[in-house]
Amino acid sequence: MSRGSAAAGWEAAAAQSPRTPSAASDDTACQVDIFPNVDFICLVAGAIPWYKELAGGLPIAPLGRVGPAVVRAAGCALLAGNLWLRMTSLDCFVEKKTPVAHHQAARVMITDGPFEYSRNPTYVSMVGALGAFGLIMNSWWGVASAAPLFAYLHFHVIPAEEAYMRNRFPEFAEYMQAAPRWLGPL
């Protein structure tokens, strides 16, 4: 099934049984404990070895005239793209009038905009922005700092959210088939 036909099928199913605040069967919120500032902690963990020049700072491009500038420019472009993705994703929550926070019950299931291509575009933007900072630092340490955040979200946060969404919105199982957890095969 292609992405377009899967998304079209999902949209048709959603149109037949829309979920609104009054139609939601349960007012409980997603029960997942999220470690505060985990993204910032990962950023600092990547910046410290770079700053202390462990293994020479593990530069991506060797110091010279062009190499680091190209890597840093790519990092700035990646950061801008991830900030755009984050803002676009959060705008979807505002438009649908459903909370982003875990301590509040989801009112509707969002499947359009960036959510058509990823079930977790806000997390994609967080991990991508962290990797972008590594490029801006021109350091593999910084890029690698995105790995613990990815693992934490992938193995701890997202499974709890998906279980909550499957329980709250029966159509979520079909949406899981239409949109990947991250991007592509991930």
Side-chain angles (χ1 to χ4, degrees), residues 73-85 125 128-133 135-136:
C76 289
L78 183 62
L79 181 60
N82 280 290
L83 291 175
W84 174 84
L85 178 59
S125 70
L130 198 52
F133 278 112
L135 294 176
I136 292 168

Side-chain angles (χ1 to χ4, degrees), residues 122-159:
T122 53
Y123 296 151
V124 169
S125 70
M126 289 170 62
V127 173
L130 198 52
F133 278 112
L135 294 176
I136 292 168
M137 293 186 308
N138 185 32
S139 172
W140 287 114
W141 289 117
V143 173
S145 70
L149 178 61
F150 173 85
Y152 177 74
L153 294 170
H154 188 76
F155 295 110
H156 177 69
V157 177
I158 294 173

Side-chain angles (χ1 to χ4, degrees), residues 15-107:
Q16 292 173 358
S17 62
R19 291 290 190 156
T20 62
S22 60
S25 61
D26 187 357
D27 285 339
T28 60
C30 181
Q31 301 299 314
V32 61
D33 294 323
I34 297 183
F35 194 79
N37 303 318
V38 68
D39 52 347
F40 180 73
I41 292 167
C42 289
L43 176 64
V44 170
I48 289 173
W50 166 75
Y51 181 76
K52 294 289 190 179
E53 295 187 9
L54 250 71
L58 281 181
I60 296 169
L63 297 178
R65 290 189 201 164
V66 180
V70 171
V71 171
R72 288 186 174 111
C76 289
L78 183 62
L79 181 60
N82 280 290
L83 291 175
W84 174 84
L85 178 59
R86 176 86 172 171
M87 289 181 353
T88 304
S89 301
L90 294 176
D91 285 348
C92 289
F93 284 92
V94 172
E95 288 172 16
K96 304 288 185 179
K97 297 181 177 143
T98 195
V100 178
H102 287 97
H103 64 275
Q104 298 177 8
R107 294 187 182 108

